[in-house]
Amino acid sequence: MPDSVVIVGAGVIGLTIAHQLLLDIQCQSSGRLKKLTFISRNYPNDKPLTHEYTSPWAGAHFRPFPHRQETYESDRRESGYTRVTYRFFQQYAAEHPESTIEFMKGVDWLENPSSEYLGLGPGLSKDSLTDLRTLSKRELPSGVHYGCEYLTWCLNAPVYLKFLQSQVEQLCLRLNIPLQFSRVNLTSLQDIEKWFGDTNVIFNATGTGLQYSGGYDPKSFNIRGQTLLLNVPEPNSIRYANTTITHQGNDGLWTFVIKRPAVNGNPQYILGGTKQLDDDLIVPREADTQALLSRGRKLFPDLVFPDGSFDIVRVNVGFRPARQGGSRIELETSPNNGLKVVHAYGFGGMGYEVSVGAAQHAIRLYKSKPSRL
């Protein structure tokens, strides 16, 4: 019997689950769907976009990291998701340049590197990264004590989300699967059974983890991020047109520059960013903007126009949905009616990096035997 699937959340995780599921069906490795329904308060083509919808505001690039001892298991799992995504993007970027996925050099500069970085531990080693190279001292800027480079990717987050939704729509038409986008305001996953009574599979991609009986995962929390979208001088030939750079200072602050590839016209660039816990300010904070500009002027001078100014297109504020102990990808079932719920949330600022790997894991669980809710 074909399944009636609901995906809750239309950020990068929810859309990628739908996309990977439909590609799987197209390859005839899984059964057909009776219908596919999205439930979300926000969608990629909404205008204006809200701060609640984190995915469009992302810098969206791949940055590897060594597994930390205190979070080794979750780091290993999530790092594995990033490698699956990486491999998928390598093929998909060539087939779909309109996706804006673009491969280029990634560079890390750390003023106070941990032992995991210095030792090239799991997650930051040549066995899972392409073209990984430790930089020599003469290649490092002043104050930086460790640097490396590797092959990375970046993409234009809002354009990519619209592309993903379009791919989902086209695949549903091709496979003759009814597709619905709904804006029902859920207070629990259980509400889905009231509004969509024939549902037998739910993918829970709600970011902070809406629960079956109501409320949100108590382990979930938001990390406020503020970044700047910039026009820059010489946007197609500037150094950052082919290189993303991430810098960590002795003060623990991260500063990065990431290209936003353009389908038509000139690319723009993201200068970031902040990672602020217990901060729910939804509007831009001028002090954060000025701090970013100050660091950017010193670290990435090519972003500055000859008259010493920055051309700020927009100040972005978003809330990365993180979770204590790492993300949750888990399958449960209702003892009452056998309803399957596949949880896939809590990825923090790694949504794009883990998207395909996490989606494929969630789909494998959907096909397996669940535990009980």
Side-chain angles (χ1 to χ4, degrees), residues 192-263:
I192 295 170
E193 297 176 85
K194 304 175 190 174
W195 295 96
F196 303 95
D198 61 344
T199 300
N200 60 329
V201 179
I202 297 171
F203 286 94
N204 179 17
T206 54
T208 50
L210 182 65
Q211 298 297 286
Y212 182 76
S213 299
Y216 289 84
D217 187 330
K219 293 184 178 180
S220 292
F221 60 97
N222 284 324
I223 303 172
R224 182 182 185 273
Q226 183 167 317
T227 64
L228 308 178
L229 180 65
L230 304 176
N231 288 325
V232 304
E234 306 297 334
N236 291 299
S237 58
I238 195 171
R239 176 184 185 185
Y240 318 117
N242 300 296
T243 305
T244 70
I245 300 180
T246 303
H247 173 274
Q248 185 189 36
N250 270 323
D251 53 9
L253 295 177
W254 293 89
T255 313
F256 52 81
V257 57
I258 304 170
K259 180 181 178 180
R260 269 201 169 173
V263 177

Side-chain angles (χ1 to χ4, degrees), residues 79-295:
S79 182
Y81 296 153
T82 70
R83 301 318 195 258
V84 174
T85 304
Y86 187 101
R87 291 191 293 271
F88 179 84
F89 277 4
Q90 283 184 302
Q91 177 180 346
Y92 208 66
E95 296 173 352
H96 294 278
E98 72 276 20
S99 68
T100 74
I101 301 167
E102 186 173 325
F103 279 77
M104 61 180 60
K105 183 187 295 184
V107 174
D108 289 359
W109 293 334
L110 282 73
E111 292 189 356
N112 186 22
S114 66
S115 59
E116 289 87 358
Y117 276 98
L118 295 173
L120 293 178
L124 190 71
S125 56
K126 290 184 178 180
D127 62 349
S128 66
L129 293 173
T130 302
D131 298 335
L132 176 65
R133 183 176 74 88
T134 300
L135 301 178
S136 65
K137 288 184 178 180
R138 62 180 175 80
E139 295 176 278
L140 300 176
S142 176
V144 172
H145 297 288
Y146 169 83
C148 67
E149 65 180 30
Y150 46 86
L151 185 66
T152 187
W153 55 260
C154 67
L155 56 80
N156 186 319
V159 173
Y160 179 73
L161 289 173
K162 293 175 184 177
F163 165 79
L164 263 188
Q165 181 173 338
S166 175
Q167 289 295 295
V168 168
E169 292 168 349
Q170 292 176 39
L171 282 165
C172 281
L173 282 173
R174 195 176 305 147
L175 297 168
N176 196 28
I177 296 172
L179 174 64
Q180 179 178 356
F181 295 99
S182 173
R183 293 184 192 267
V184 174
N185 188 23
L186 299 175
T187 59
S188 71
L189 296 178
Q190 199 169 11
D191 289 345
I192 295 170
E193 297 176 85
K194 304 175 190 174
W195 295 96
F196 303 95
D198 61 344
T199 300
N200 60 329
V201 179
I202 297 171
F203 286 94
N204 179 17
T206 54
T208 50
L210 182 65
Q211 298 297 286
Y212 182 76
S213 299
Y216 289 84
D217 187 330
K219 293 184 178 180
S220 292
F221 60 97
N222 284 324
I223 303 172
R224 182 182 185 273
Q226 183 167 317
T227 64
L228 308 178
L229 180 65
L230 304 176
N231 288 325
V232 304
E234 306 297 334
N236 291 299
S237 58
I238 195 171
R239 176 184 185 185
Y240 318 117
N242 300 296
T243 305
T244 70
I245 300 180
T246 303
H247 173 274
Q248 185 189 36
N250 270 323
D251 53 9
L253 295 177
W254 293 89
T255 313
F256 52 81
V257 57
I258 304 170
K259 180 181 178 180
R260 269 201 169 173
V263 177
N264 296 301
N266 291 325
Q268 295 174 315
Y269 291 79
I270 293 286
L271 173 63
T274 68
K275 294 184 178 181
Q276 299 161 325
L277 280 68
D278 301 319
D279 190 335
D280 58 2
L281 183 66
I282 65 175
V283 298
R285 182 182 286 114
E286 182 62 19
D288 290 340
T289 295
Q290 292 304 317
L292 285 172
L293 293 177
S294 176
R295 303 202 306 267

